[in-house]
Amino acid sequence: MLIRFTLKNFLSFKDKVSFSMIPGAYRNRKEHKNSKVKGVSTLKTSVIYGANASGKSNLVKAIAFGRFMVLRGFPSDSYIDYSPYRLDVDSLKSDSMLRFEIQAGGRNYDYGFIFNKKDIVEEWLYEITTKTQTLIFSRDNVNREYMFSGLFEKNKSDEERGFIEVIAKSTPDNRLWLHELASKKVKENVTDLNDVLAVFGWFRNSLMVIFPDDKYHLGIQTEIGENKDIQSTFETLLNYFDTGVDGVAIQDVRLENLPIPAPVVEDIKKELSDSRSENRRSIVTTPQFTFFFAMKDGELVVQKFMTKHQVTGDGTPVYFDTKDESDGTNRIIDFIPLIVDLLKGDNVFVIDEMDRSMHPNLIYDIFDLYLSNAEKVNSQLIVTTHESNLLSRKLLRKDEIWFVAKTTEGSSIYSLEDYKVKFDENIMRDYLLGRFKGVPNLGDREMVELKLS
């Protein structure tokens, strides 16, 4: 789970700000809290509001950038491609910072790094509790100093410690040491790398960032063709959300009929052939179609995801491609696997502009459906939105509602809990009236002169 995310000098965020998933003093809706890890609890959901260009999407981009740096990073001979705060001369010359406080492997960690376009300046990983922090490793690239106290405590032989030091010294200046430790064959040469692997695994397996044009490529869609229970769940939710879709189906497709370039198909085949798991699947989506790829008996098999509708009168099924459904229905189809995976547990989904192409009631129901079924599940749903329908104390806690506002000094972020709001107050009305900021600050209409000739 995400405990807290802190950033500085990244895109529209000039000064250091923090977004927290730590429950506040609000006592109602205790079922909205995940199970404690070493005394630390987190919230199951958070909704982030703000005017256009306030910085909501930039907050999500910062989280996604941190994930990218951990899992992939940039080539050793290239710059770190990002934008610091650009409206201040000093900021353009200053370092940036991303910091993730997370729960992984039954422990709490503080992982972060300071960087600029050329170098990772500092990097650290601590195990934290409510009262203490224990260093696992730290990196000071300016002075070329590494500290390995936590790693050395669990890997005591000279050979193991020497191997760790070699990896440190060989890490390129523009790449994270966490990435190098977790992605190379270090664990085969040391006794205990569990802390590093737990944090790396959280970024790879638990944290998912979804932007408006993204599709959720994991989840139950890839299992529909082989698992009848999954197919039934998918169809139940399609019916619940009133999409007009009667069912889903998987249709076999011949390779020569694929509307996908042959080199792309060949790359998919090579990737799946190299996998240790023969049942591994890959998904490719276009605005028109959704295809599943798998290797069976050494051959590449392709199937197409389709929706099913009944013809009035005789009940004959008619099959639709993705392009035949509305944007709203396709958006719901994307979210159904996400909802199911949330309820499986141990997932953190960060979604930018979740309300795009969806009716306000559907957004409300997705949250209500998730929260109503997640009391014994540890997952998190964090979204940015303009949908004021969610601003209901019947649905969310005060500490689950956040606002991003643009100022002359960059974007700022703050919680509804910072305001004295009574339970029976109309939060939606007060938000739209600008009480909590986060709404457009429109100019004087009389000063607007439109020249159309």
Side-chain angles (χ1 to χ4, degrees):
M1 301 300 104
L2 177 66
I3 301 173
R4 181 164 43 214
F5 175 64
T6 303
L7 70 159
K8 179 181 180 181
N9 194 24
F10 190 95
L11 293 174
S12 61
F13 291 90
K14 174 188 174 184
D15 299 322
K16 183 168 71 173
V17 299
S18 292
F19 165 71
S20 175
M21 293 295 287
I22 300 174
Y26 190 73
R27 296 182 178 181
N28 293 339
R29 298 194 179 277
K30 295 181 179 179
E31 70 277 10
H32 286 207
K33 295 193 290 186
N34 288 310
S35 301
K36 289 184 177 180
V37 175
K38 303 292 185 180
V40 178
S41 182
T42 60
L43 293 166
K44 294 183 183 292
T45 189
S46 186
V47 180
I48 304 168
Y49 288 89
N52 291 330
S54 62
K56 301 188 308 299
S57 293
N58 288 339
L59 180 70
V60 177
K61 289 175 182 177
I63 294 174
F65 183 82
R67 183 177 188 268
F68 170 82
M69 289 294 290
V70 170
L71 299 185
R72 294 180 60 187
F74 294 95
S76 59
D77 59 350
S78 70
Y79 287 105
I80 298 175
D81 187 11
Y82 83 103
S83 294
Y85 185 72
R86 299 170 60 187
L87 302 182
D88 177 77
V89 173
D90 292 335
S91 295
L92 287 170
K93 300 175 183 178
S94 301
D95 296 329
S96 302
M97 185 268 288
L98 299 179
R99 177 184 179 188
F100 296 82
E101 294 167 80
I102 68 172
Q103 296 175 329
R107 297 183 179 182
N108 302 309
Y109 295 99
D110 175 356
Y111 172 73
F113 53 98
I114 297 172
F115 61 104
N116 53 51
K117 288 185 175 291
K118 293 183 178 180
D119 301 310
I120 303 297
V121 179
E122 295 181 33
E123 183 181 4
W124 62 88
L125 175 61
Y126 290 86
E127 181 184 352
I128 56 176
T129 68
T130 55
K131 297 181 179 180
T132 64
Q133 62 177 20
T134 303
L135 177 66
I136 297 171
F137 74 78
S138 67
R139 169 190 185 184
D140 179 348
N141 220 19
V142 176
N143 298 308
R144 300 294 177 180
E145 293 180 354
Y146 281 80
M147 296 183 66
F148 311 107
S149 53
L151 288 174
F152 279 5
E153 180 66 26
K154 297 180 178 181
N155 302 279
K156 299 181 181 297
S157 73
D158 292 340
E159 291 80 5
E160 291 173 320
R161 294 181 175 184
F163 193 83
I164 291 172
E165 290 177 336
V166 168
I167 296 297
K169 292 177 181 178
S170 64
T171 299
D173 290 344
N174 68 339
R175 295 176 69 84
L176 296 175
W177 194 46
L178 177 68
H179 172 84
E180 300 296 303
L181 277 173
S183 60
K184 293 185 177 180
K185 295 183 179 180
V186 182
K187 62 182 179 181
E188 299 175 5
N189 295 274
V190 298
T191 300
D192 189 341
L193 204 64
N194 291 338
D195 293 316
V196 170
L197 294 178
V199 173
F200 185 84
W202 183 84
F203 281 96
R204 181 178 59 187
N205 301 320
S206 295
L207 177 63
M208 297 292 168
V209 183
I210 301 173
F211 290 100
D213 293 327
D214 292 345
K215 289 180 177 290
Y216 178 46
H217 287 184
L218 303 178
I220 62 174
Q221 281 193 13
T222 58
E223 303 174 37
I224 286 177
E226 300 176 351
N227 189 319
K228 296 301 181 182
D229 290 337
I230 292 294
Q231 183 170 334
S232 176
T233 298
F234 207 101
E235 293 174 351
T236 296
L237 290 175
L238 283 172
N239 181 65
Y240 171 76
F241 289 122
D242 191 30
T243 61
V245 177
D246 296 305
V248 295
I250 300 296
Q251 183 182 86
D252 292 333
V253 179
R254 297 177 63 89
L255 286 176
E256 57 267 27
N257 294 333
L258 277 177
I260 299 175
V264 175
V265 176
E266 189 61 30
D267 288 342
I268 294 172
K269 182 176 181 179
K270 289 179 180 178
E271 179 183 351
L272 295 179
S273 298
D274 291 341
S275 173
R276 296 179 181 180
S277 173
E278 294 182 359
N279 296 323
R280 181 185 175 190
R281 285 173 166 244
S282 179
I283 183 171
V284 174
T285 61
T286 71
Q288 292 79 32
F289 308 102
T290 299
F291 295 104
F292 302 135
F293 293 79
M295 294 298 297
K296 292 185 179 180
D297 299 325
E299 296 294 329
L300 184 64
V301 176
V302 187
Q303 296 175 313
K304 181 168 62 173
F305 174 84
M306 305 189 76
T307 56
K308 183 168 58 177
H309 297 256
Q310 300 294 332
V311 176
T312 302
D314 61 4
T316 302
V318 175
Y319 297 96
F320 285 17
D321 288 314
T322 305
K323 64 181 176 62
D324 299 321
E325 298 289 357
S326 69
D327 289 342
T329 297
N330 277 313
R331 191 75 164 151
I332 293 172
I333 289 173
D334 292 340
F335 282 142
I336 287 177
L338 183 149
I339 294 169
V340 174
D341 280 352
L342 273 173
L343 295 176
K344 288 180 179 179
D346 295 325
N347 285 301
V348 179
F349 286 101
V350 182
I351 307 175
D352 190 29
E353 296 185 21
M354 185 178 181
D355 52 325
R356 195 200 68 175
S357 300
M358 294 187 70
H359 191 279
N361 289 351
L362 287 177
I363 296 293
Y364 189 101
D365 278 349
I366 286 175
F367 271 84
D368 192 34
L369 179 67
Y370 162 56
L371 290 169
S372 298
N373 289 276
E375 183 173 355
K376 297 181 180 179
V377 175
N378 293 327
S379 277
Q380 290 177 319
L381 176 61
I382 302 167
V383 309
T384 71
T385 184
H386 293 289
E387 182 44 64
S388 58
N389 194 40
L390 299 177
L391 287 171
S392 168
R393 298 287 289 277
K394 295 180 180 179
L395 179 68
L396 298 174
R397 298 161 48 110
K398 285 175 58 178
D399 48 14
E400 294 173 314
I401 299 172
W402 286 75
F403 304 97
V404 176
K406 55 183 177 181
T407 71
T408 56
E409 295 298 316
S411 298
S412 61
I413 183 167
Y414 46 92
S415 170
L416 179 63
E417 198 173 39
D418 296 338
Y419 293 84
K420 293 182 179 180
V421 179
K422 296 180 180 179
F423 182 80
D424 57 352
E425 286 192 52
N426 190 325
I427 300 174
M428 183 194 304
R429 178 201 62 202
D430 287 353
Y431 165 65
L432 295 176
L433 289 174
R435 177 182 175 187
F436 312 122
K437 305 177 186 178
V439 294
N441 184 17
L442 303 179
D444 186 348
R445 179 73 63 83
E446 294 184 358
M447 300 298 292
V448 177
E449 181 181 355
L450 302 178
K451 298 180 180 180
L452 303 179
S453 59

